[in-house]
Amino acid sequence: MPGSKSNLVSLHEDVINDTSDFSEMKISDGKGSVEKRTMTLIKKNGYHDSIYINAAKIFQGIHTEKHKDRILVRYGDDSVSPMLTFKDEYSQRVSYELAFSALKYQDLLEEILLDSCVYPCHLLVVMLYDLQDRKFQGREIFDEEEPVAEVRKIEHYLYSFRTKLAAALARCRIKHDALSIEYILPETIRKQEQRASALPLCVWINTFKISLQDVFRDLKKKGFTRVESVSDLDRYTYCMDQHCHDVLLFPSSLKEELLNLDLFADCKLLLQDKSRSLAVHSAQALLNTGDEIIVAHVGSHLTIAHMSVLTNDTMSRIFVCGVKSSAKAAELRNLFSHMGCKNIQLLHEDFTEIGPTDPRLQKAKVILLLPQCSGLGVGNPVDFILNEHGDAGLLRDLFQGSVSEDKLGILAERQLNELMHAMKFNKVQAIVYCTCSVYPEENELVVKKALESGVEGNKVQPYRLIPPVFSTCSNSEASTETFFKMEPSEISSGCFLAILAREKDSSENLSVKDILARAAAKGLLGGIVVEKSKEEEKKQPKVTQHRRNITGSGTEPKIAELLHRQTVSDIKAEVSVSKAVSNTQHNANRTNSSVQLKKSINPVSNTALPKVLKHTSHSSSMGKAYERQTLARKARAERKRVVLKPVEIVLPPVITSYISPQGNKPRI
């Protein structure tokens, strides 16, 4: 029973004596051959002194502030953000992970220290978490590191009282009836941890350095087996992503081993959240050869590099905003050079500081907007913070499971301002807006408000929403939806994606039924209904391309193609309607003229007028001529199509003329 002496002794012994093991496993590459792998579960030996210092500084900024009536520990003044200095990427990652762990178990660690009559401080809490994680075993001291006196002092203090601290931990576990400290966490946090631990690793292939087929061969040599889907992932397996053709998914348990592969060391494979890959693929689908793209935030260099890889064949330039310092610019250029990227230009101004008429950006057709967001949809917050240069406050928000209304309001207002600023660039034809938020206030509502603002003005076509198109999906499951959304789950992080594209010219919005109805009302059809021919149906894509080129909207072909998909239910085919009318005088010896109007929904420029073709002819037979006239009408309708515009024609008394298939002048 919880609370008994026997349980206390048993738990105490578990805490002191529990150590890690070494194990060996064998795996098959799926072809019968077996590769021997040693999975070494190394006993944790602690970290460098500098990591504890940085983790304590991070924890200082994110620890939970309790209500006044519940405050047992005061940590001092947190108004000044501490300066962080990291030796390398590994040290940075471990520092954030250690601080996040201290945050999750803050209540437990404070209770242990107070039970042991020790008053906590930031560094003490962080180091206590690491000590209990090492089962209260001593830390290995690294000779090459420079010692930090404060760390050594607290370490000596904690280690000298390790038995007392272990007993306090055992009492806490008994109190909460917890098999391990993980069960002391709230259920929502435990589920979030389980989901994050199962989340597949998302990796994109840098085709500047290696082809997809070479990656597959290399992974096979290393003992990896390719499977069909995420649900089949197990140990040394991987699969292709269903949306992005250059993205691979691996089991989360392989993270450390993957990062040690030469494929990662040489920047041939890059680990990054899938939401960023979805965003760059959506932007790339909107570009034509020579089009340029604006990346509104410097964010992660991985996102920019991925965009560079995808646009290499289109000769597109990428403008990156917000690179403030020359040191940062030099760092990014070095990274891009190492990754093989050459089509990137850095701008020191923030995106909102750049005017829509800036001469440097007049060839830009697409804006990629990845604004700072609450980020509660991400699966691995530490990776997201490090890759996207995010705010460490995300760790606190994720632990609490929500964002304060004030913070959410500030973020949404900033996002709206940036999206509206993007809409002011008259030369730009599409905007890709992407967040990792689960809040409608940062997603649908921001897009809705921006579209309703009319900020783009009256001189250019307004924006409308279109579905994203992904390279691996001929018909994406999201193609019928206005927004693309992924909810946080065990197979994916949360993601929101919206694409805003310029509307087509208003003259293109008139449906076929409207055109025919207006023509019939004017008496121009004469009861004749002409069916669409199979030949016309085959020619439809070419006609659509022609429409894009001759309209004055400036819409680029790829964007117009996506817009056309939205309106295809309204205009499914192009219809040709012809009617022959002629005028004649009462004098039979004079030549009579006929007027033929050919009508189509194929739009032209605003100055285009219906073309009137005049023919004179004679006919000897009324009945036979009527049949010949019908055949001629259809033949000419196939050869030439002109805009159908409702017009009112006043003619003198009409005597119908007939035209022979050979084009001879018919007789009256």
Side-chain angles (χ1 to χ4, degrees):
M1 295 291 292
S4 65
K5 282 189 175 181
S6 59
N7 278 345
L8 177 60
V9 172
S10 176
L11 284 170
H12 188 187
E13 291 175 350
D14 288 345
V15 170
I16 296 296
N17 299 324
D18 187 15
T19 58
S20 301
D21 301 321
F22 299 92
S23 63
E24 189 176 86
M25 62 179 296
K26 295 181 180 180
I27 65 167
S28 171
D29 62 0
K31 300 294 184 181
S33 62
V34 176
E35 178 178 334
K36 194 174 184 181
R37 284 184 186 272
T38 301
M39 293 290 292
T40 306
L41 304 178
I42 303 174
K43 184 173 67 175
K44 296 181 180 179
N45 293 318
Y47 306 106
H48 289 86
D49 290 7
S50 59
I51 290 178
Y52 292 114
I53 292 294
N54 283 323
K57 291 178 179 179
I58 297 169
F59 178 68
Q60 177 184 344
I62 65 174
H63 72 269
T64 303
E65 292 284 355
K66 297 182 174 63
H67 295 292
K68 292 182 180 180
D69 57 343
R70 294 184 57 224
I71 290 181
L72 298 176
V73 178
R74 295 185 183 275
Y75 286 100
D77 184 19
D78 299 329
S79 58
V80 179
S81 299
M83 295 295 295
L84 300 174
T85 304
F86 301 105
K87 179 181 178 181
D88 50 34
E89 185 178 343
Y90 170 79
S91 300
Q92 185 181 19
R93 182 181 301 277
V94 171
S95 297
Y96 275 96
E97 289 175 346
L98 186 55
F100 190 32
S101 297
L103 171 66
K104 288 185 289 186
Y105 296 100
Q106 179 180 333
D107 290 346
L108 172 65
L109 298 171
E110 289 177 357
E111 188 175 347
I112 292 173
L113 290 171
L114 293 175
D115 188 20
S116 304
C117 301
V118 178
Y119 195 78
C121 66
H122 296 115
L123 182 58
L124 194 62
V125 170
V126 167
M127 294 190 68
L128 175 59
Y129 172 81
D130 181 59
L131 179 61
Q132 68 80 32
D133 195 41
R134 288 184 277 118
K135 314 303 179 185
F136 294 91
Q137 300 300 309
R139 177 173 70 114
E140 178 182 338
I141 303 298
F142 301 91
D143 296 334
E144 71 275 10
E145 73 170 313
E146 183 179 348
V148 179
E150 186 179 5
V151 171
R152 299 297 171 91
K153 180 180 178 181
I154 290 180
E155 179 182 31
H156 176 74
Y157 179 81
L158 288 173
Y159 193 70
S160 63
F161 287 96
R162 65 188 185 281
T163 303
K164 190 175 182 179
L165 293 168
L169 174 59
R171 285 191 291 272
C172 288
R173 287 171 57 181
I174 293 172
K175 175 182 175 181
H176 295 280
D177 195 16
L179 296 176
S180 66
I181 64 171
E182 287 80 9
Y183 288 91
I184 298 177
L185 292 173
E187 184 178 359
T188 54
I189 303 301
R190 289 206 309 273
K191 288 182 178 180
Q192 180 183 313
E193 292 281 299
Q194 292 170 359
R195 187 171 65 243
S197 64
L199 192 67
L201 302 173
C202 185
V203 172
W204 60 270
I205 300 171
N206 181 2
T207 53
F208 279 147
K209 296 224 168 200
I210 192 171
S211 69
L212 272 66
Q213 295 304 320
D214 287 342
V215 170
F216 300 152
R217 282 193 289 269
D218 202 331
L219 289 174
K220 185 177 180 180
K221 289 179 181 178
K222 289 177 169 56
F224 287 85
T225 303
R226 180 173 169 180
V227 294
E228 289 299 320
S229 66
V230 176
S231 59
D232 299 324
L233 291 178
D234 180 38
R235 295 186 176 178
Y236 291 92
T237 58
Y238 71 95
C239 69
M240 298 292 295
D241 181 65
Q242 62 174 326
H243 297 110
C244 308
H245 71 274
D246 60 347
V247 171
L248 308 179
L249 301 175
F250 292 85
S252 58
S253 58
L254 298 179
K255 183 175 181 179
E256 296 302 325
E257 193 162 353
L258 284 174
L259 293 177
N260 289 327
L261 294 178
D262 54 358
L263 289 171
F264 285 85
D266 297 337
C267 293
K268 296 175 181 176
L269 296 182
L270 291 308
L271 180 68
Q272 191 177 22
D273 189 83
K274 180 180 172 178
S275 64
R276 285 357 193 188
S277 294
L278 291 171
V280 296
H281 273 270
S282 298
Q284 187 268 339
L286 299 166
L287 293 171
N288 294 296
T289 301
D291 287 351
E292 296 176 348
I293 183 169
I294 302 171
V295 179
H297 294 276
V298 62
S300 171
H301 70 279
L302 296 177
T303 303
I304 302 166
H306 198 179
M307 191 79 251
S308 175
V309 171
L310 292 178
T311 57
N312 182 52
D313 293 336
T314 62
M315 305 298 292
S316 300
R317 280 195 303 172
I318 302 169
F319 291 89
V320 182
C321 305
V323 185
K324 290 294 185 181
S325 67
S326 56
K328 181 65 176 178
E331 177 189 351
L332 288 174
R333 290 191 183 98
N334 184 53
L335 288 170
F336 294 145
S337 175
H338 182 57
M339 299 173 74
C341 305
K342 299 178 181 178
N343 58 338
I344 300 170
Q345 186 165 334
L346 306 179
L347 306 177
H348 73 275
E349 304 101 317
D350 287 332
F351 174 61
T352 52
E353 296 173 349
I354 299 176
T357 58
D358 192 304
R360 297 171 295 180
L361 306 177
Q362 293 310 294
K363 291 184 180 180
K365 300 299 181 184
V366 177
I367 294 177
L368 178 58
L369 181 55
L370 305 171
Q372 183 182 2
C373 66
S374 58
L376 291 195
V378 303
N380 190 320
V382 172
D383 281 344
F384 186 81
I385 290 171
L386 299 185
N387 289 336
E388 306 297 329
H389 304 287
D391 179 11
L394 171 62
L395 300 176
R396 179 177 57 245
D397 295 336
L398 277 172
F399 174 68
Q400 295 173 348
S402 63
V403 176
S404 68
E405 289 187 9
D406 291 342
K407 181 176 181 179
L408 187 61
I410 293 171
L411 288 171
E413 182 179 2
R414 186 185 305 158
Q415 292 154 359
L416 177 59
N417 289 336
E418 291 176 359
L419 183 54
M420 290 172 61
H421 184 68
M423 295 170 68
K424 295 177 183 178
F425 286 72
N426 291 347
K427 299 291 186 180
V428 169
Q429 299 299 313
I431 302 168
V432 177
Y433 178 85
C434 182
T435 76
C436 295
S437 173
V438 297
Y439 292 108
E441 289 86 345
E442 297 182 89
N443 299 335
E444 295 94 335
L445 293 183
V446 167
V447 175
K448 183 175 182 291
K449 290 177 181 178
L451 290 173
E452 292 174 349
S453 68
V455 70
E456 61 266 44
N458 299 324
K459 295 183 178 181
V460 292
Q461 289 301 109
Y463 280 98
R464 63 178 290 187
L465 287 167
I466 64 172
V469 175
F470 300 114
S471 55
T472 59
C473 308
S474 57
N475 290 304
S476 172
E477 69 270 16
S479 61
T480 59
E481 300 295 333
T482 306
F483 303 109
F484 180 89
K485 295 177 68 174
M486 292 194 306
E487 298 296 333
S489 66
E490 292 185 353
I491 62 172
S492 70
S493 296
C495 172
F496 172 85
L497 182 65
I499 298 181
L500 290 73
R502 297 276 186 197
E503 284 188 1
K504 294 182 291 183
D505 189 89
S506 59
S507 63
E508 299 180 39
N509 296 331
L510 198 60
S511 70
V512 175
K513 292 182 179 180
D514 291 338
I515 295 172
L516 294 178
R518 293 187 184 186
K522 296 291 183 181
L524 300 177
L525 299 184
I528 299 175
V529 178
V530 180
E531 293 284 338
K532 167 184 74 171
S533 70
K534 291 183 179 180
E535 195 170 330
E536 285 176 315
E537 198 169 331
K538 292 178 181 178
K539 290 181 180 179
Q540 183 178 342
K542 295 183 179 180
V543 175
T544 303
Q545 178 69 40
H546 177 64
R547 176 169 66 247
R548 289 193 295 262
N549 291 339
I550 63 177
T551 53
S553 63
T555 303
E556 295 298 324
K558 282 194 176 181
I559 299 171
E561 181 182 347
L562 298 177
L563 286 167
H564 177 66
R565 295 182 186 180
Q566 285 292 86
T567 57
V568 72
S569 60
D570 299 325
I571 303 177
K572 292 185 177 180
E574 300 194 10
V575 181
S576 297
V577 181
S578 64
K579 180 177 178 64
V581 293
S582 66
N583 297 332
T584 180
Q585 297 181 355
H586 292 288
N587 189 349
N589 294 326
R590 300 187 58 181
T591 303
N592 302 287
S593 62
S594 66
V595 181
Q596 183 179 26
L597 301 179
K598 296 186 178 182
K599 304 170 181 63
S600 168
I601 66 163
N602 208 23
V604 296
S605 62
N606 294 334
T607 59
L609 296 174
K611 296 183 180 180
V612 180
L613 303 179
K614 296 184 178 181
H615 297 275
T616 59
S617 59
H618 298 278
S619 175
S620 61
S621 173
M622 295 290 286
K624 293 181 180 180
Y626 180 82
E627 294 178 2
R628 290 195 295 270
Q629 179 198 18
T630 303
L631 293 173
R633 277 205 307 267
K634 291 183 178 180
R636 285 196 299 274
E638 289 294 324
R639 291 196 301 269
K640 187 172 184 67
R641 283 171 289 187
V642 185
V643 171
L644 173 64
K645 291 193 175 182
V647 294
E648 186 170 352
I649 302 176
V650 180
L651 299 172
V654 175
I655 298 177
T656 308
S657 62
Y658 305 93
I659 304 174
S660 65
Q662 290 79 16
N664 297 328
K665 297 180 180 179
R667 297 183 298 275
I668 296 176

